[in-house]
Amino acid sequence: MSQTTVDRPVDHETPTTVHAADPKGRSITRIVVAAGFALIAAILLLLIFTGSSEESSRITIGFSLNSFFLWLGAMNPLVQIPVILAVFGLVVGIILVLIEYAPRPGRGYFIMRLVACLVIPVLAFLLLRPYANAVLYVVAIALLVGALLFFADFRSRQGAGYLFQLILFMAPASIMLALGLIYPAIATIFKSFYDKSGQEFVGLENYFWVFTNPTGTASVVNTILWAVLAPTISVAIGLAYAVFIDRARGEKVLKVLVFMPVAISFVGAGIIWKFMYDARQGEQVGLLNAIVTAFGGDPVQWLAIKPVINTLMLLVVFIWTQTGFAMVILSAAIKAVPTEQLEAAQLDGTNAWQRFRNVTVPGIRSSLIVVLTTITIASLKVYDIVAVMTGGRDETTVLGFEMVNQQQRFQSYGHSSALAVVLFLFVLPLIIYNARSLAKQREIR
């Protein structure tokens, strides 16, 4: 039998990548990009620490986001909807055109990417209407960012535009993340070193207030109490419930009953339990005091008993809303434990507790970590329950509530920022630990 060899046409349009195999080229790219972003960081610091005078007029291109929204707000509400849809469609259309055509090889597409990299950042900054004495910094930053992005794109695929396409996909989310998370975090850290008005530098005075003032100390202690008790009790009850009803008759109904509080907001849960704890003269509305008075006792102001008791009463509400979440996740993890391991342990003569401790718990360890860290982070950030039920009175305040309270009620931006930074430092180790655990699981898989 003879074999026929068919010559396939060679695609000469596809660019070959040699930069990835060139260590010198990679090192040059890293050096240029690192130096460029270091220069951008230096200009940003100059922009931050160079105050704008009140008399400085803003530099615009005759149009800004503010003027657009003012123009839109003056329209009839029925007209606003199609205008917003049209603008949104225009922006999406431009992005799709750049994603579809700009990454292609060729001189015309090369110029298209170059113009997009340099013009889009400048227009984006100018739409924010910088002050006159800051416009040079803004334009310099925009041009440097565009040049670095284009250089990285060009070096990655010899002008084929892969990185340019990737940047266009990631840019909207990255910009929103920077504006909504990174910039506020940096600004909060800076403000935590300034006084109540945010004008005078006071160093660590706000942090001393957090750990020495009775209000700040109570918020820190209560937050630690929430972070220790809330996840521990929620996971313990949820795990026990998941184990006992696993493959039991009516399992779905029993799970729904425990999971229902998860669907209730913290505000709703706080209002419900505030009625439960309610105390008044005459006939009692609150269930707890109705029981107390039924046995001849006097009504108890549960949310005013300090120290610790009223905080524990608030903890009950949080645990009630989180136990169902823990139960659902851990129940699914328990069902994923191989039955062969449980049967083998049973044949070895182990009892139910030994099988649970030596087989089930190791099998659901990753789920336990996720649930514990998730509930712990939620307990560190709790605000709604405290705000609705006690308003932080009687030593029930926590960091999340006191942070907002200091800013809104007392207009103390320095104290509020310091509380926010302390809260961030509490949450950060849990996030890092959770991220590393997930990374290890991916490596194993």
Side-chain angles (χ1 to χ4, degrees):
M1 181 180 293
S2 63
Q3 295 181 346
T4 304
T5 303
V6 179
D7 294 331
R8 296 181 179 178
V10 179
D11 185 8
H12 296 286
E13 297 295 327
T14 304
T16 57
T17 301
V18 298
H19 174 64
D22 180 12
K24 185 178 179 180
R26 290 199 302 269
S27 62
I28 292 174
T29 301
R30 292 193 191 101
I31 293 171
V32 172
V33 173
F37 278 106
L39 181 58
I40 291 172
I43 298 175
L44 279 173
L45 289 176
L46 287 174
L47 178 60
I48 291 172
F49 290 105
T50 303
S52 299
S53 62
E54 297 294 334
E55 297 79 14
S56 297
S57 59
R58 292 182 181 271
I59 300 298
T60 69
I61 53 176
F63 180 76
S64 67
L65 292 177
N66 186 43
S67 63
F68 169 74
F69 286 115
L70 289 175
W71 171 74
L72 187 65
M75 290 185 174
N76 187 286
L78 295 178
V79 180
Q80 292 177 0
I81 297 175
V83 171
I84 292 174
L85 292 176
V87 173
F88 179 76
L90 177 64
V91 174
V92 172
I94 293 173
I95 293 175
L96 289 177
V97 167
L98 292 174
I99 291 173
E100 176 63 27
Y101 292 100
R104 299 180 181 183
R107 178 175 296 180
Y109 300 112
F110 175 89
I111 296 173
M112 184 185 296
R113 289 199 303 278
L114 177 61
V115 171
C117 282
L118 297 177
V119 172
I120 291 177
V122 174
L123 290 177
F125 275 105
L126 288 178
L127 282 174
L128 299 176
R129 301 182 8 173
Y131 284 105
N133 57 352
V135 67
L136 293 178
Y137 293 124
V138 169
V139 173
I141 292 170
L143 291 175
L144 278 172
V145 169
L148 285 175
L149 294 180
F150 183 79
F151 175 76
D153 163 62
F154 180 75
R155 294 293 291 176
S156 66
R157 288 279 299 274
Q158 280 72 53
Y162 171 77
L163 190 60
F164 179 80
Q165 189 179 50
L166 182 64
I167 291 167
L168 283 176
F169 274 116
M170 294 180 62
S174 300
I175 292 171
M176 296 303 295
L177 187 66
L179 294 177
L181 183 63
I182 297 175
Y183 171 73
I186 296 173
T188 300
I189 293 172
F190 272 101
K191 286 184 179 180
S192 68
F193 297 104
Y194 286 80
D195 65 350
K196 180 178 179 178
S197 62
Q199 301 297 324
E200 183 181 350
F201 183 80
V202 294
L204 297 175
E205 183 177 320
N206 293 321
Y207 293 96
F208 292 146
W209 177 90
V210 171
F211 292 101
T212 57
N213 185 275
T215 302
T217 304
S219 65
V220 173
V221 172
N222 287 335
T223 300
I224 295 174
L225 193 65
W226 278 72
V228 172
L229 295 181
T232 304
I233 299 174
S234 298
V235 171
I237 298 174
L239 179 59
Y241 197 85
V243 171
F244 286 128
I245 68 170
D246 185 40
R247 298 182 178 88
R249 181 179 297 180
E251 178 184 357
K252 293 181 180 179
V253 176
L254 295 174
K255 284 184 177 179
V256 168
L257 293 176
V258 177
F259 188 76
M260 283 176 64
V262 180
I264 302 174
S265 67
F266 284 156
V267 173
I271 293 173
I272 292 170
W273 280 85
K274 192 173 183 179
F275 281 115
M276 296 275 285
Y277 295 144
D278 184 57
R280 59 184 64 188
Q281 297 296 326
E283 186 178 356
Q284 297 300 317
V285 176
L287 177 62
L288 287 183
N289 280 311
I291 296 173
V292 170
T293 55
F295 285 94
D298 295 326
V300 180
Q301 297 285 347
W302 298 101
L303 298 178
I305 304 176
K306 57 183 182 180
V308 179
I309 299 299
N310 48 8
T311 298
L312 293 178
M313 292 297 175
L314 300 182
L315 267 168
V316 170
V317 184
F318 184 82
I319 292 168
W320 180 67
T321 60
Q322 296 299 305
T323 299
F325 166 75
M327 179 269 300
V328 168
I329 302 299
L330 296 177
S331 178
I334 289 172
K335 291 184 181 299
V337 176
T339 55
E340 294 82 3
Q341 295 181 6
L342 295 171
E343 291 172 355
Q346 188 174 8
L347 290 174
D348 288 340
T350 59
N351 55 35
W353 170 249
Q354 290 172 330
R355 290 194 297 273
F356 172 76
R357 186 182 63 185
N358 298 317
V359 179
T360 303
V361 172
I364 63 173
R365 181 178 178 274
S366 59
S367 298
L368 276 172
I369 292 173
V370 170
V371 173
L372 275 170
T373 53
T374 301
I375 297 179
T376 303
I377 292 172
S379 66
L380 287 171
K381 300 187 299 180
V382 70
Y383 167 83
D384 314 67
I385 294 174
V386 176
V388 169
M389 299 187 69
T390 65
R393 295 181 296 274
D394 298 313
E395 300 178 7
T396 58
T397 185
V398 292
L399 283 172
F401 173 81
E402 197 58 38
M403 173 184 68
V404 178
N405 191 45
Q406 288 294 322
Q407 191 272 326
Q408 292 186 348
R409 184 179 177 185
F410 301 106
Q411 299 297 307
S412 180
Y413 295 95
H415 292 162
S416 177
S417 300
L419 289 165
V421 173
V422 172
L423 179 59
F424 174 73
L425 293 177
F426 280 178
V427 175
L428 187 61
L430 296 171
I431 297 175
I432 294 174
Y433 178 76
N434 207 5
R436 287 185 175 180
S437 298
L438 293 175
K440 290 180 180 178
Q441 290 177 24
R442 293 193 188 98
E443 291 176 1
I444 294 173
R445 293 172 185 173

